[in-house]
Amino acid sequence: MFVFFLSFFLSFFHFHLSPFSISLIFPMLLLSLFFLQKDSEENEPTRHPYVVVVAIDFGTTSSGYAYAFTKEPECIHTMRRWEGGDPGVSNQKTPTTILLSPDRKFHSFGYAARDFYHDLDPTESKQWLYLEKFKMKLHTTANLSIDTDLHAANGKKVKALDIFAYALAFFKEQALKELSDQAWADFDNADVRWVITVPAIWKMPAKQFMREAAYKAGLVSRDNPDQLIIALEPEAASIYCRKLRLHQMVDLGNKTALNGYSPTENIGVGMTQGDRYVVVDCGGGTVDLTVHQIRMPEGHLKELYKASGGPYGSIGIDYEFEKLLCKIFGQDFIDQFKIKRPAAWVDLMIAFESRKRAAAPDRSNPLNINLPFSFIDYYKKFRGHSVEHALRKSNVDFVKWSSQGMLRMNPDAMNALFKPTIDHIIQHLTELFERPEVTDIRFLFLVGGFAESPLLQQAVQKMLQGHSRIIIPHDVGLTILKGAVLFGLDPSIIKVRRSPLTYGVGVLNRFVEGKHPPEKMLVKEGTRWCTDVFDTFISTDQSVALGETVKRSYTPAKPSQQVIVIHVYCSEKESVSFITDPGVRKCGTLKLDVSGTESPASPAARREIQTLMQFGDTEIRAMAVDVATSRSVKASIDFLSQ
């Protein structure tokens, strides 16, 4: 075992520990940076205590689950076919839609929720709480907490944690029922390792929120947190893509299976030590990019550049369509229609979804979108004239009225709705490929439901100009789901990741004239100290290996102290000097429960609490031990209670 220490002496931390009403003075004697490289035998995949791995792909627009038994890791089962569905839309997954009864109890999820809501009387439907595309709230909410609210289609508020927990509980019930049917007996949840997928660009609060929802849903208990793994969506796709056989994919360069290998060979056969590739996960809400390098012969993966992307998913096209409707019929009408006829608005967006999927660069015939009767009827009552009149009077000449009660859009009009979203993706891809870390990229994998769009495919081809081979798996909508199962079977497959942010804490350092600002100086007992110094745990885009840890030692201010609470700060900047620097914000709390760890022989003795933090996993973890007694100290990092 190789251990590297970089130690330096610091004194005088000061925290006011509300709600514990403890002032922590002199808690830090030693800070040391500690990198622990595991023994070679530790790098081998560990044996599974679980019988099966079940992965839940919780998407913005559609969701589903898949599973594999640990004794048959190569055989991945996707969930049973869902009842319901839309013309021209695959139902391998189910819509991420949820319905609560008027008394706020869970009623249904997916197609069942949507169809039941659709069949309700308009007056009655106003009492029901219907939610869709709510996952993005976790990405867009600046100060996410367990009390964050969502808005149902009728405008009523509901706790986001309840909705996510209801959804996860639904998938738990469905998966366990399917496993029980296969086993001809009740399947024990304790035998399941659960995996939940999240976008790689999500911050730690959103990841923790999903974990809290899983606890509330009963997927796992807080006493056994390792039963749940959070998987990053483009990482999961990457794990699956490197195992693809050539007949399972399309090379956009020639629209056929890849040349040079037989159709039964893995793409990995064509990958050599050091090959680099990009995975672009184009989902409903976000587009996530990850850059990996493959390490042969084990096929382990190394992240070359921190995960990037943004809210450039396919729902951006829905928003553009809504803007177009507002331009034709008026913002005031559309806002009222969504509130007064929420089920009809859902119908309209379903009709648009199937037409959206028919958009293509070479399409010449118009796309017809059915307008619900209640839209036509309500508009006439609201405005006093017809929908046809509104279209004639509007300046939108590329959308016409059809006598069959449909909006008729010419292909250019539909393509224009795609342009802002696709432009964002191409701009981000262009900037990524200009980075020095992202060179010699052999393959670009397009995955996620939005990757099926011919318009997006054409734009990516034009941008790359043949420099990398663009590969699309045949089961593009299930790529993340299947990869998440593989990740659950072997979480150590990603050996090196890049930190998305710079993390650290505030400390006091010896004041150095000329280096530290005078306003930061604090004099204590004749010694000059610099306040608010940012002690960096890890820097943004820093490589960090799986199992690599950062070690810090803290000492309670007095023997009777029960809890040590330390604020954690973060920044997108690589180099940070002070916790008051622009862009630095408090993002979490490190909590050490030191009760019951003191030595019975000398309870008044000064204690050193050694804390290890892991940054190389999909979540930040903390462990701690009392050095004198070797007793474990309960350590946790909370990113939600800000």
Side-chain angles (χ1 to χ4, degrees):
M1 185 176 288
F2 168 74
V3 181
F4 170 71
F5 281 93
L6 175 64
S7 305
F8 52 98
F9 182 83
L10 284 177
S11 226
F12 294 131
F13 243 113
H14 183 270
F15 302 101
H16 181 69
L17 305 182
S18 178
F20 305 103
S21 301
I22 301 168
S23 289
L24 178 58
I25 310 173
F26 313 116
M28 180 163 294
L29 292 178
L30 176 72
L31 285 178
S32 19
L33 192 61
F34 175 89
F35 291 114
L36 176 64
Q37 184 164 317
K38 295 185 174 184
D39 292 333
S40 58
E41 59 265 25
E42 285 185 283
N43 283 329
E44 295 175 5
T46 54
R47 292 192 176 276
H48 294 287
Y50 305 105
V51 176
V52 67
V53 170
V54 179
I56 300 172
D57 180 8
F58 198 120
T60 302
T61 53
S62 61
S63 299
Y65 66 87
Y67 59 93
F69 293 95
T70 53
K71 288 182 179 177
E72 297 177 298
E74 295 298 319
C75 186
I76 300 174
H77 307 264
T78 51
M79 60 277 167
R80 293 168 174 162
R81 284 271 173 177
W82 300 95
E83 293 180 9
D86 304 317
V89 179
S90 167
N91 66 340
Q92 289 175 306
K93 293 196 282 188
T94 193
T96 308
T97 53
I98 194 167
L99 183 65
L100 306 188
S101 60
D103 60 353
R104 296 176 175 259
K105 296 286 193 302
F106 174 79
H107 179 271
S108 48
F109 187 91
Y111 288 115
R114 210 186 62 190
D115 294 346
F116 186 92
Y117 184 63
H118 168 272
D119 293 340
L120 286 170
D121 178 84
T123 308
E124 192 182 1
S125 68
K126 293 176 189 175
Q127 308 306 315
W128 290 70
L129 288 90
Y130 178 84
L131 296 100
E132 62 178 355
K133 300 170 186 170
F134 50 84
K135 178 185 171 185
M136 280 297 287
K137 183 79 171 182
L138 301 194
H139 180 69
T140 56
T141 303
N143 297 308
L144 184 68
S145 76
I146 56 173
D147 295 319
T148 294
D149 288 320
L150 297 173
H151 287 90
N154 61 4
K156 291 182 179 178
K157 286 184 180 180
V158 61
K159 292 293 177 196
L161 190 66
D162 291 341
I163 296 301
F164 281 84
Y166 281 142
L168 292 175
F170 168 80
F171 281 114
K172 176 192 173 186
E173 182 185 343
Q174 295 291 317
L176 289 180
K177 186 176 187 306
E178 185 169 342
L179 290 167
S180 297
D181 289 348
Q182 284 201 16
W184 296 88
D186 286 344
F187 206 90
D188 189 351
N189 188 55
D191 291 331
V192 180
R193 163 160 265 178
W194 294 95
V195 182
I196 299 175
T197 64
V198 302
I201 57 171
W202 269 15
K203 302 289 191 290
M204 282 307 304
K207 294 177 187 176
Q208 185 182 334
F209 188 96
M210 288 301 284
R211 180 169 282 279
E212 292 294 331
Y215 290 147
K216 184 160 189 172
L219 252 69
V220 300
S221 72
R222 294 181 190 276
D223 297 332
N224 188 20
D226 291 341
Q227 191 182 355
L228 169 66
I229 298 174
I230 299 295
L232 308 182
E233 289 165 1
E235 280 192 359
S238 175
I239 292 165
Y240 179 69
C241 286
R242 74 190 174 89
K243 295 177 76 72
L244 282 174
R245 297 183 183 278
L246 299 193
H247 68 277
Q248 297 173 306
M249 66 187 79
V250 173
D251 183 346
L252 275 191
N254 55 24
K255 288 286 185 183
T256 62
L258 292 177
N259 297 326
Y261 315 111
S262 76
T264 57
E265 287 181 313
N266 285 358
I267 193 168
V269 173
M271 285 186 170
T272 57
Q273 169 71 20
D275 266 356
R276 298 159 169 240
Y277 61 94
V278 172
V279 174
V280 185
D281 170 24
C282 308
T286 57
V287 168
D288 246 357
L289 297 93
T290 191
V291 188
H292 278 161
Q293 185 174 42
I294 196 159
R295 290 172 163 185
M296 292 297 187
E298 299 89 353
H300 292 149
L301 300 174
K302 174 184 179 181
E303 190 175 32
L304 297 177
Y305 182 67
K306 66 180 181 179
S308 60
Y312 319 135
S314 61
I315 59 171
I317 303 154
D318 300 349
Y319 296 143
E320 290 299 316
F321 178 60
E322 187 176 330
K323 281 161 63 176
L324 177 65
L325 293 177
C326 290
K327 188 174 181 182
I328 297 169
F329 302 108
Q331 175 89 48
D332 55 342
F333 167 73
I334 295 298
D335 288 346
Q336 277 299 303
F337 181 72
K338 285 163 74 174
I339 293 169
K340 300 290 186 183
R341 301 285 189 273
W345 175 255
V346 171
D347 279 353
L348 175 55
M349 294 312 293
I350 291 168
F352 174 70
E353 178 67 27
S354 65
R355 297 292 80 208
K356 181 173 82 175
R357 289 169 182 258
D362 53 356
R363 188 182 177 100
S364 56
N365 53 322
L367 295 117
N368 295 322
I369 299 163
N370 281 310
L371 279 184
F373 172 75
S374 60
F375 185 99
I376 299 166
D377 182 58
Y378 190 72
Y379 183 78
K380 188 157 191 175
K381 289 175 181 174
F382 189 88
R383 287 275 189 250
H385 57 250
S386 68
V387 163
E388 186 179 1
H389 176 83
L391 276 160
R392 280 202 311 268
K393 290 293 182 184
S394 75
N395 295 322
V396 183
D397 54 2
F398 45 76
V399 180
K400 304 295 183 187
W401 177 248
S402 160
S403 57
Q404 287 84 27
M406 294 184 287
L407 292 179
R408 177 167 288 179
M409 296 181 69
N410 73 33
D412 290 341
M414 177 62 84
N415 295 358
L417 300 182
F418 280 72
K419 191 176 185 306
T421 300
I422 289 177
D423 284 352
H424 275 304
I425 296 169
I426 296 304
Q427 181 185 349
H428 194 89
L429 261 176
T430 303
E431 291 170 359
L432 181 71
F433 272 77
E434 286 173 351
R435 296 201 63 87
E437 304 95 325
V438 188
T439 54
D440 302 319
I441 300 299
R442 190 170 178 199
F443 299 104
L444 182 142
F445 291 98
L446 270 181
V447 303
F450 192 20
E452 294 176 288
S453 165
L455 291 166
L456 177 60
Q457 292 173 9
Q458 184 192 61
V460 174
Q461 274 185 294
K462 187 177 176 183
M463 173 255 161
L464 283 177
Q465 298 180 336
H467 292 302
S468 303
R469 295 164 85 173
I470 304 168
I471 311 298
I472 303 177
H474 283 316
D475 52 357
V476 66
L478 298 176
T479 302
I480 291 160
L481 197 47
K482 292 180 176 180
V485 173
L486 295 172
F487 181 63
L489 290 164
D490 182 12
S492 66
I493 192 73
I494 312 276
K495 291 296 183 189
V496 180
R497 289 186 173 88
R498 298 275 182 155
S499 176
L501 295 169
T502 296
Y503 289 97
V505 295
V507 300
L508 289 172
N509 255 350
R510 292 269 188 176
F511 188 86
V512 178
E513 203 74 51
K515 177 186 176 184
H516 294 140
E519 64 271 17
K520 296 285 185 188
M521 188 174 71
L522 171 72
V523 179
K524 251 189 188 314
E525 298 178 0
T527 304
R528 298 193 306 170
W529 301 94
C530 183
T531 62
D532 298 333
V533 175
F534 189 96
D535 169 38
T536 303
F537 290 164
I538 193 165
S539 298
T540 186
D541 203 34
Q542 180 181 331
S543 260
V544 54
L546 191 67
E548 200 170 286
T549 60
V550 175
K551 187 173 82 170
R552 294 292 186 268
S553 292
Y554 302 101
T555 301
K558 47 192 175 183
S560 61
Q561 187 173 336
Q562 301 294 299
V563 178
I564 300 174
V565 178
I566 299 160
H567 296 317
V568 179
Y569 296 85
C570 68
S571 172
E572 292 184 2
K573 295 179 182 176
E574 185 178 350
S575 180
V576 180
S577 300
F578 301 98
I579 62 172
T580 53
D581 285 357
V584 178
R585 57 188 173 84
K586 177 176 170 277
C587 63
T589 305
L590 174 63
K591 183 177 174 183
L592 305 174
D593 184 351
V594 297
S595 58
T597 62
E598 62 268 23
S599 170
S602 51
R606 192 172 183 81
R607 288 179 289 160
E608 180 187 348
I609 309 300
Q610 207 169 76
T611 306
L612 296 177
M613 282 159 286
Q614 283 189 346
F615 290 90
D617 215 329
T618 57
E619 298 174 273
I620 298 173
R621 301 175 184 274
M623 298 153 285
V625 67
D626 190 312
V627 173
T629 63
S630 298
R631 291 180 181 175
S632 179
V633 172
K634 188 177 179 183
S636 60
I637 302 182
D638 182 9
F639 292 96
L640 280 174
S641 302
Q642 298 306 308

